[in-house]
Amino acid sequence: MFRIENLNFSYNNRNENSLNDININIKEGEVILLCGESGCGKTTLTRILNGLIPNFFTGDLYGKAFLNDTLVSNLPIYKLAEHIGSVFQNPKTQFFNVDTTSELVFGCENLGLEENEIKKRIDIVVNDFDIENLLDNNLFKLSGGEKQKIACASVSAVFPEVLVLDEPSSNLDSQSSWQFEEIIKKWKEQKKTVIIAEHKLFFLPDVVDRVIFLENGKISWQWSIDEFKGVNHRKLGLRQLNLEKLSPKRNEYYLSNNEFLELKNFNFKYGKRQVLNIDYLKIPKNEIIAIIGRNGAGKSTFANCLCGLKRSCKGELIYDNQVLKRKDRLKKTYIVMQDVNHQLFSESVIDEVLLSMDEENIGLAEHILTDLNLIHLKDVHPMALSGGEKQRVAIASAIASGKEILIFDEPTSGLDLKNMMSVSENLRFLQSVGVSSFIITHDYELIMETCSHILHMEDGEIIDSYKINEEKLKKFFLRN
């Protein structure tokens, strides 16, 4: 299916090679996992396979990549699209429509398929991905995980021979990740070739055939999945393969003087549709609080209301015995959004961090960047960074802001183990200096490593609030 020979590639704006002397063969029907720490070359290799290099991303390319004995670089994108479907880490970058149903049929229409055939395919993917409730919705009003599901389903509807997936689970809740495992199994039964670049590994052991581990743009190891199960994943900087082995690290509370934040009559509507409805909620202050729930549960809406971004949000936040109005909440809180592209404004990484400070402190900014493994990128434009690097820049800005309440919306999506641990360590530091952190997350590893309290949301309501409890969390995150 794919044959890559002596391939080297470097982007135009970088001095070092992103890929070095890559030689691999991928057979028809194989499911391949590409893994390794951030920046190891996974995404670049997927771009070689699906033709985005050299068609969209330019640089110095040496060596050869073949698809069925034809050079990938010689095939125009429209020809490659007949054989290869791609899902990117940020699903918004591959949408062409404003509503979900139009997006699902878009690829099929471009192939000139008959209407009945298109309807048949849409019925199949709607059932496979369990997205009937998302049909005829505005794409821009979906959660990140819901957008990811639409992106995967729209690509699947084209029935490509090859699927190239870059961090497909980054915004998916645990249930959707396990559903995605079933989708891969179906693709496997259909003899499709699947290449997955991924940090989260827990949903892949039963579907992957071969694992390719990259370091500094080179292939360091290749294992069969059975061999990979015996590898020391943590030593290699990889995420946990078996979530059952994890347990909470933060059983202690920092709660001092019995202090709490309180929400009263906290609600929000999109038009006439009630999407947030919290009559009363008491939250421990100075804790690291995980907000969990299915995709579309209202977690991001809750975060935006909490920090004052939603003008029409009703209700009260009581903090230090004071009722904080929307403008007051804007002053006391800082949010790292799920799509951090919305909040990167400066010409360099260091300037981005300095922008969030009331008084510029270059020494502090550089210290924060060092903690988050970003100091070597301090003079780079934020929009030239990878998705995970952008995420860490936004987190650095939040830390530097000095706000008392920080809200992080999926802060570790697309992050490897080392950078997830860096974020965790910084969250614990913030807690030690009196900051209350709210973490919207589907990352079970981050919760077990860092969080001390859980808010469980469904359908815009808080259905449970509790000190971290392994039994409850496993019931929600692990396969039933």
Side-chain angles (χ1 to χ4, degrees):
M1 176 61 72
F2 282 107
R3 187 173 81 256
I4 298 180
E5 299 176 349
N6 305 317
L7 192 136
N8 293 265
F9 180 77
S10 62
Y11 292 97
N12 283 336
N13 60 344
R14 300 183 191 175
N15 294 324
E16 76 280 2
N17 279 3
S18 294
L19 292 176
N20 291 281
D21 197 28
I22 302 294
N23 288 275
I24 51 173
N25 289 310
I26 299 174
K27 298 175 184 177
E28 182 179 356
E30 266 196 300
V31 178
I32 302 292
L33 168 64
L34 304 177
C35 63
E37 293 188 345
S38 295
C40 69
K42 298 186 302 295
T43 295
T44 302
L45 183 52
T46 65
R47 290 170 178 171
I48 294 287
L49 295 172
N50 63 19
L52 290 180
I53 294 173
N55 286 289
F56 282 95
F57 296 94
T58 58
D60 296 322
L61 176 63
Y62 304 98
K64 297 175 180 179
F66 295 93
L67 171 64
N68 296 327
D69 297 321
T70 302
L71 277 171
V72 174
S73 57
N74 287 349
L75 291 169
I77 285 292
Y78 72 88
K79 277 291 184 185
L80 286 167
E82 295 175 4
H83 304 279
I84 303 173
S86 298
V87 176
F88 308 134
Q89 186 175 349
N90 184 354
K92 286 173 61 177
T93 60
Q94 65 189 90
F95 290 152
F96 292 89
N97 298 277
V98 295
D99 71 278
T100 54
T101 305
S102 297
E103 188 62 36
L104 290 174
V105 304
F106 182 78
C108 296
E109 288 177 336
N110 273 280
L111 292 178
L113 300 179
E114 295 289 336
E115 183 178 349
N116 288 338
E117 176 63 19
I118 293 176
K119 288 181 178 178
K120 178 182 175 182
R121 293 188 181 198
I122 297 307
D123 287 342
I124 291 171
V125 298
V126 166
N127 179 68
D128 285 350
F129 285 88
D130 191 22
I131 53 173
E132 188 170 359
N133 64 312
L134 300 182
L135 294 178
D136 300 318
N137 273 262
N138 186 324
L139 279 168
F140 299 102
K141 292 186 178 179
L142 300 184
S143 71
E146 289 170 333
K147 289 173 184 170
Q148 195 86 341
K149 292 170 83 171
I150 292 295
C152 291
S154 61
V155 168
S156 187
V158 181
F159 289 7
E161 304 159 38
V162 181
L163 291 119
V164 179
L165 314 172
D166 189 6
E167 301 286 350
S169 76
S170 58
N171 293 313
L172 296 182
D173 62 40
S174 57
Q175 184 182 56
S176 297
S177 294
W178 293 121
Q179 287 174 345
F180 197 63
E181 178 198 45
E182 295 301 317
I183 299 299
I184 299 171
K185 285 181 181 178
K186 289 179 182 178
W187 287 339
K188 198 169 182 176
E189 290 169 3
Q190 297 163 2
K191 306 299 182 185
K192 295 184 185 296
T193 304
V194 185
I195 297 101
I196 309 168
E198 182 63 89
H199 287 302
K200 293 181 183 177
L201 307 179
F202 66 89
F203 66 100
L204 294 172
D206 294 335
V207 292
V208 166
D209 298 308
R210 186 155 50 106
V211 179
I212 296 174
F213 179 77
L214 291 99
E215 286 182 294
N216 301 317
K218 297 179 180 180
I219 295 176
S220 295
W221 297 94
Q222 292 193 55
W223 301 280
S224 70
I225 190 60
D226 289 333
E227 292 170 336
F228 184 64
K229 289 176 182 178
V231 167
N232 186 332
H233 306 105
R234 201 169 188 87
K235 188 174 181 181
L236 291 170
L238 299 177
R239 294 292 201 107
Q240 183 60 250
L241 197 64
N242 183 358
L243 297 184
E244 290 276 5
K245 294 181 178 180
L246 296 171
S247 57
K249 302 285 182 67
R250 307 302 308 281
N251 289 320
E252 81 280 7
Y253 258 28
Y254 271 62
L255 189 64
S256 58
N257 301 321
N258 208 33
E259 294 178 328
F260 294 86
L261 292 80
E262 295 178 79
L263 296 177
K264 293 182 178 180
N265 301 316
F266 216 67
N267 62 77
F268 180 74
K269 293 181 178 180
Y270 281 120
K272 295 182 179 180
R273 185 166 66 96
Q274 188 86 28
V275 293
L276 186 64
N277 186 21
I278 300 172
D279 292 331
Y280 180 77
L281 180 64
K282 198 173 184 179
I283 309 166
K285 186 181 173 185
N286 190 24
E287 296 296 328
I288 303 175
I289 300 160
I291 305 174
I292 66 172
R294 307 292 182 206
N295 291 132
K299 302 184 296 297
S300 294
T301 300
F302 172 71
N304 289 331
C305 289
L306 189 63
C307 68
L309 288 179
K310 297 292 186 184
R311 290 179 179 274
S312 57
C313 176
K314 308 295 183 184
E316 297 179 349
L317 168 62
I318 301 171
Y319 181 82
D320 285 344
N321 297 316
Q322 294 182 328
V323 176
L324 301 185
K325 297 181 180 179
R326 190 182 73 86
K327 290 184 179 179
D328 298 321
R329 299 203 298 271
L330 285 169
K331 292 177 182 178
K332 282 190 176 290
T333 62
Y334 192 105
I335 185 170
V336 175
M337 299 177 182
Q338 189 170 26
D339 185 353
V340 295
N341 292 296
H342 292 312
Q343 58 187 127
L344 298 175
F345 306 105
S346 300
E347 297 296 315
S348 69
V349 168
I350 187 73
D351 286 341
E352 194 66 47
V353 178
L354 293 172
L355 184 65
S356 69
M357 297 177 170
D358 289 334
E359 295 184 9
E360 289 190 1
N361 184 331
I362 293 178
L364 176 60
E366 290 183 341
H367 178 73
I368 294 169
L369 291 177
T370 299
D371 283 349
L372 289 168
N373 303 310
L374 290 167
I375 191 64
H376 63 293
L377 299 171
K378 71 174 188 176
D379 296 319
V380 176
H381 197 292
M383 299 312 291
L385 302 177
S386 70
E389 289 165 344
K390 289 177 184 177
Q391 196 84 15
R392 282 183 281 143
V393 171
I395 292 169
S397 296
I399 294 168
S401 70
K403 304 293 186 182
E404 297 175 51
I405 301 173
L406 299 183
I407 304 164
F408 301 87
D409 196 347
E410 295 291 352
T412 57
S413 64
L415 294 192
D416 60 12
L417 175 66
K418 180 174 73 175
N419 289 308
M420 183 273 284
M421 294 297 291
S422 294
V423 170
S424 177
E425 289 166 10
N426 276 280
L427 288 170
R428 287 198 291 269
F429 167 76
L430 290 168
Q431 185 179 28
S432 72
V433 296
V435 173
S436 301
S437 297
F438 292 82
I439 319 294
I440 297 172
T441 186
H442 300 302
D443 192 339
Y444 186 68
E445 292 179 74
L446 176 69
I447 292 172
M448 287 295 180
E449 188 68 37
T450 309
C451 298
S452 53
H453 192 87
I454 308 296
L455 296 180
H456 188 167
M457 287 193 73
E458 296 297 345
D459 299 321
E461 299 182 355
I462 303 293
I463 64 169
D464 208 352
S465 174
Y466 55 91
K467 181 179 177 180
I468 192 164
N469 179 293
E470 186 173 358
E471 184 177 342
K472 283 187 175 184
L473 286 167
K474 284 188 172 180
K475 187 175 181 180
F476 177 73
F477 280 96
L478 303 191
R479 185 174 11 212
N480 297 325

